[in-house]
Amino acid sequence: MTKPSRKIFLGICFFAFALCLGLLFFQQTKPKVFLTDVANSLNPVALHQLKNKIQHTDLQKDIDIYSGNFISSKIPHVKSFEHINVLFLGGIKFVSLDDLAQYDFIFTSTLYLHNFLKANHIKSYLLPLFIEDKKIKPSACALHPKNKNCFVLVIGDQPEVIKVLNKTNTAYLHYIKLNQKTEKHLLSKMQNISSIIVNNSAPVNDSMDTAPLLLYAISRHIPVLSDNVLNIYGNTNMNNINFTVLFADTLSYYTYESDIYDFLNCPDCRLKKAEKAYFVLKHLYTAETAAHNIAFSLVSNEDFVPRLKNLITIIAPIHAGLYNNGDYWLSKDLEHAFEKIKLNSLTVFNTSLYPHLGDSSVYIRGTTILDKKYVRENHVSLMYLIFPYTDKDNVYDYALSMQEEFGYIDAVAISSLEVTQAAQKLGIKAYYLPQFTNAEKFYPEFDESKKSEVLFVGQNDFYRKAPRLVYDAGLPITIYGPKWDGLAQAEYVDNKILRQYYSSAKIVLNDTRPDMKKLGFISNRIYDVTASGGFLISDYMKEIEEIYGDTIPMWKTENELIELVKYYLDPKHEAERMEKAQRAKEITLKYFTSEIAAEKFKTVINKIR
């Protein structure tokens, strides 16, 4: 070998040796992760991914993770204070606060325990329960539930559910409680489960957490029906809180027996929700996300807050399962309309774990005041003010009273033109965006069993004059809604079939809350009734008159109301009534559909961005 060649060779060898030393040194400085897992709370896949992620962080110390529910035993003492000591508590109900001081980081899988520790001034980070992130194919029974080998899995003491299943001849398997033995058995039968119905006490014994079985079911697109997080008395079922905050409106909920029938009788509806639930699980509750969650919190000392690009979250200011709430249905109609124009969207609730999951959010603003703490920074935020709830007598005073709340968000869409203009004068980014109807849900559909002479659907609030006046005048009126002291046919009409009642009535009454009338907010009932081909008589609002002209007769005095009802009930005026209803329907479908509203929202959101 010549001298130059020898020098080049030695140079290459020296460089390789130095590189090896550098790599060796780098590997030695990588933090190591050790696990003490009492209850198999962190599965091997999660631990492997966690190690990989932590080794790519700036952490210099080794990490000891202590994981488990620690229900029957005390929280273990840390092995080395030279390490970063991490405790994953899981979803236990009780914990000794004195044992927590030795840990640098505490992770909890339930919002309940997270808030408990926070109330006791102990810093903790959320780490929801998760499963291995595999791409699992949908269950055959979820896609084809009528297969003779498929069955509904019922978990919990639910006599009302069993009664419906027996009446409908639906095959089911019933477990009162879940435990390790039953979960293992059911996991082996997962492909035969067409859907799961679970009640608030069922998910896991002595825990506030969601059963892993349910996460596996959601990963296979198996629909889940849960009893409402609020029972009919308004009390919260605490055992179910975690389940509902994790998946929001991607699960189905029941309060009434009719909700169970709806769930069983619409496979397509079930599967659509199941696909949304899978979308949420895939992005939030997998081992990969959990590993990223822990690594992020260890480095930043902050909770991991997910953010999905190109997703609009529609935040409904209600609890999960309150299907008789108008805010909920407006949110769902908007979500459906967004999807029709190829915008990915998801309805969530105030109680959801991650209400700002998307990179932009629409806050539905009715009676619930928007708290600044619920608005996320670096996030496109748009309030949709659908109606006021105020004692202010004019639009300027009302806009002034809302100025601070408007300032929390990037822009506000308002369903009153006058309030929009007043807000703009105050320097608020405000856009006029009237309420709307879902024309795929509200359309003419006469039903003989639901026909009525005069119809009113709504709660008996202090301002409901029209139904009572018509009733007192001895005219034939049918009422649906709560608080009517025996006058109502029923307290609840399912929004999904409300069109049948509107389409089958000769006259539908509308009366407007005083603050809405003063400030120019048109009731959503106007759009839904007219889209259904119904004929409306309303209390007077100039805003309605400007849009609908004479197609919606209106009254200012009690006598005018009675005379209008008598006039349009007269068979001699049936043709006039039908002609006006047709013209009103054409106006609504031309200007006030959810698709039109979605396009307007899209324009506003793009302007904010």
Side-chain angles (χ1 to χ4, degrees):
M1 186 180 290
T2 62
K3 272 190 175 183
S5 298
R6 188 180 296 116
K7 286 182 179 180
I8 294 171
F9 175 75
L10 289 173
I12 292 172
C13 290
F14 178 78
F15 176 77
F17 178 72
L19 182 63
C20 289
L21 282 177
L23 288 173
L24 182 63
F25 176 78
F26 177 74
Q27 285 179 341
Q28 287 177 340
T29 60
K30 283 184 178 180
K32 296 178 181 177
V33 180
F34 303 95
L35 176 66
T36 301
D37 195 357
V38 175
N40 296 317
S41 299
L42 287 171
N43 59 48
V45 174
L47 184 62
H48 175 72
Q49 293 175 336
L50 176 60
K51 287 180 178 179
N52 289 337
K53 288 187 180 296
I54 287 177
Q55 287 171 351
H56 288 86
T57 66
D58 296 328
L59 295 170
Q60 300 299 318
K61 292 184 179 181
D62 290 340
I63 299 166
D64 287 338
I65 299 178
Y66 298 82
S67 172
N69 285 330
F70 308 110
I71 292 172
S72 59
S73 60
K74 291 185 68 175
I75 291 172
H77 290 289
V78 301
K79 298 172 184 176
S80 171
F81 286 101
E82 299 299 316
H83 294 181
I84 297 173
N85 291 293
V86 178
L87 176 67
F88 178 40
L89 278 174
I92 64 175
K93 290 183 179 180
F94 310 105
V95 62
S96 172
L97 300 179
D98 295 335
D99 294 333
L100 302 181
Q102 58 190 314
Y103 287 94
D104 301 298
F105 293 87
I106 299 170
F107 289 86
T108 64
S109 64
T110 67
L111 198 59
Y112 174 85
L113 188 55
H114 182 66
N115 289 335
F116 171 74
L117 295 179
K118 184 178 178 181
N120 285 277
H121 310 290
I122 295 175
K123 176 71 173 176
S124 68
Y125 303 85
L126 274 171
L127 180 65
L129 197 67
F130 53 87
I131 63 170
E132 294 181 13
D133 32 348
K134 296 177 180 177
K135 291 194 173 180
I136 305 171
K137 291 183 180 179
S139 161
C141 281
L143 297 174
H144 307 288
K146 293 186 178 180
N147 186 306
K148 65 179 181 179
N149 295 319
C150 299
F151 60 84
V152 173
L153 173 60
V154 181
I155 310 172
D157 186 13
Q158 304 182 77
E160 69 276 34
V161 169
I162 300 299
K163 183 174 77 172
V164 172
L165 292 172
N166 287 332
K167 278 185 177 180
T168 55
N169 294 315
T170 303
Y172 64 90
L173 191 63
H174 186 200
Y175 286 89
I176 298 296
K177 290 282 186 180
L178 290 181
N179 53 45
Q180 286 186 341
K181 183 178 179 180
T182 55
E183 282 197 19
K184 187 176 180 180
H185 173 246
L186 291 171
L187 283 170
S188 69
K189 291 181 169 289
M190 191 64 75
Q191 288 299 320
N192 297 107
I193 298 174
S194 62
S195 54
I196 294 179
I197 304 178
V198 56
N199 81 348
N200 72 86
S201 62
V204 217
N205 288 322
D206 205 21
S207 171
M208 300 298 293
D209 223 332
T210 299
L213 170 78
L214 298 175
L215 296 185
Y216 279 109
I218 290 168
S219 75
R220 288 161 172 78
H221 298 242
I222 296 174
V224 177
L225 174 70
S226 174
D227 61 338
N228 200 343
V229 68
L230 293 183
N231 65 27
I232 58 175
Y233 304 106
N235 299 318
T236 303
N237 294 324
M238 285 306 299
N239 283 349
N240 208 23
I241 266 285
N242 199 56
F243 195 35
T244 56
V245 300
L246 291 179
F247 287 97
D249 192 52
T250 64
L251 306 183
S252 298
Y253 304 94
Y254 75 89
T255 299
Y256 305 101
E257 198 174 278
S258 59
D259 298 327
I260 303 169
Y261 279 106
D262 288 345
F263 177 77
L264 294 172
N265 292 333
C266 187
D268 290 341
C269 305
R270 294 202 306 265
L271 193 57
K272 187 174 181 180
K273 280 212 168 189
E275 288 168 352
K276 289 266 187 180
Y278 174 73
F279 170 84
V280 171
L281 180 137
K282 182 178 69 172
H283 288 95
L284 298 183
Y285 309 122
T286 64
E288 182 180 0
T289 306
H292 181 75
N293 186 334
I294 295 175
F296 176 87
S297 296
L298 292 182
V299 173
S300 68
N301 291 315
E302 298 289 341
D303 267 317
F304 169 66
V305 180
R307 176 174 174 175
L308 301 184
K309 290 184 178 180
N310 302 315
L311 173 69
I312 303 172
T313 45
I314 305 165
I315 304 177
I318 57 174
H319 286 282
L322 295 186
Y323 295 149
N324 58 344
N325 188 296
D327 296 356
Y328 170 79
W329 289 110
L330 183 138
S331 303
K332 293 302 293 181
D333 290 340
L334 183 57
E335 178 186 339
H336 179 67
F338 277 145
E339 289 174 351
K340 290 197 72 174
I341 61 171
K342 309 302 181 185
L343 291 178
N344 194 18
S345 63
L346 186 69
T347 296
V348 297
F349 306 112
N350 277 345
T351 51
S352 299
L353 185 59
Y354 300 120
H356 307 92
L357 182 59
D359 57 6
S360 58
S361 290
V362 176
Y363 301 84
I364 305 298
R365 171 61 160 92
T367 57
T368 305
I369 296 172
L370 177 61
D371 193 319
K372 185 179 182 179
K373 67 182 180 182
Y374 293 121
V375 181
R376 199 172 89 187
E377 294 181 2
N378 302 318
H379 178 85
V380 174
S381 54
L382 174 65
M383 179 194 293
Y384 186 27
L385 183 61
I386 55 176
F387 57 80
Y389 205 74
T390 182
D391 58 357
K392 303 300 180 184
D393 289 328
N394 61 75
V395 293
Y396 181 78
D397 286 346
Y398 174 65
L400 200 61
S401 72
M402 292 290 292
Q403 190 170 19
E404 182 179 359
E405 195 175 340
F406 288 163
Y408 298 157
I409 41 81
D410 295 312
V412 56
I414 305 174
S415 63
S416 162
L417 178 59
E418 289 183 87
V419 173
T420 303
Q421 292 168 341
Q424 289 170 342
K425 289 178 182 178
L426 292 171
I428 305 296
K429 284 186 179 179
Y431 303 86
Y432 174 52
L433 211 161
Q435 286 199 54
F436 48 83
T437 188
N438 180 353
E440 292 184 6
K441 187 170 61 177
F442 287 96
Y443 54 84
E445 184 182 3
F446 179 81
D447 187 322
E448 181 69 25
S449 67
K450 298 177 179 65
K451 71 177 183 179
S452 56
E453 298 292 292
V454 182
L455 173 69
F456 180 80
V457 181
Q459 182 170 288
N460 183 20
D461 290 315
F462 67 93
Y463 59 89
R464 301 292 195 194
K465 293 181 180 179
R468 179 68 69 174
L469 288 170
V470 172
Y471 176 81
D472 290 343
L475 295 170
I477 184 170
T478 304
I479 298 173
Y480 293 91
K483 301 181 182 180
W484 283 100
D485 299 326
L487 291 183
Q489 296 282 336
E491 289 196 353
Y492 173 65
V493 174
D494 191 335
N495 187 268
K496 295 188 290 293
I497 59 169
L498 186 53
R499 67 178 176 277
Q500 296 173 357
Y501 293 83
Y502 290 156
S503 302
S504 307
K506 290 182 179 177
I507 297 172
V508 182
L509 295 179
N510 175 66
D511 55 1
T512 313
R513 206 172 65 225
D515 55 351
M516 292 178 67
K517 189 181 297 188
K518 289 176 184 176
L519 302 175
F521 288 83
I522 297 177
S523 168
N524 185 257
R525 183 185 289 105
I526 298 290
Y527 308 120
D528 291 342
V529 173
T530 52
S532 302
F535 174 77
L536 260 172
I537 292 179
S538 176
D539 51 336
Y540 181 78
M541 281 185 67
K542 65 179 178 62
E543 291 80 7
I544 297 175
E545 186 176 53
E546 288 169 356
I547 295 169
Y548 287 96
D550 68 346
T551 64
I552 298 178
M554 290 182 282
W555 56 277
K556 294 180 180 178
T557 67
E558 296 178 5
N559 286 336
E560 285 179 358
L561 168 63
I562 301 306
E563 290 305 312
L564 282 173
V565 171
K566 288 180 178 178
Y567 179 87
Y568 286 104
L569 283 180
D570 190 330
K572 291 187 294 185
H573 304 126
E574 181 177 1
E576 181 185 351
R577 187 183 75 237
M578 295 177 68
E579 185 269 338
K580 288 187 174 182
Q582 177 61 28
R583 281 196 287 128
K585 178 167 79 82
E586 291 170 359
I587 293 170
T588 296
L589 297 183
K590 186 175 182 179
Y591 298 109
F592 302 106
T593 65
S594 53
E595 287 92 341
I596 295 170
E599 290 286 0
K600 291 179 179 178
F601 272 109
K602 179 181 176 181
T603 300
V604 172
I605 289 171
N606 287 337
K607 284 182 179 179
I608 298 172
R609 286 177 175 158

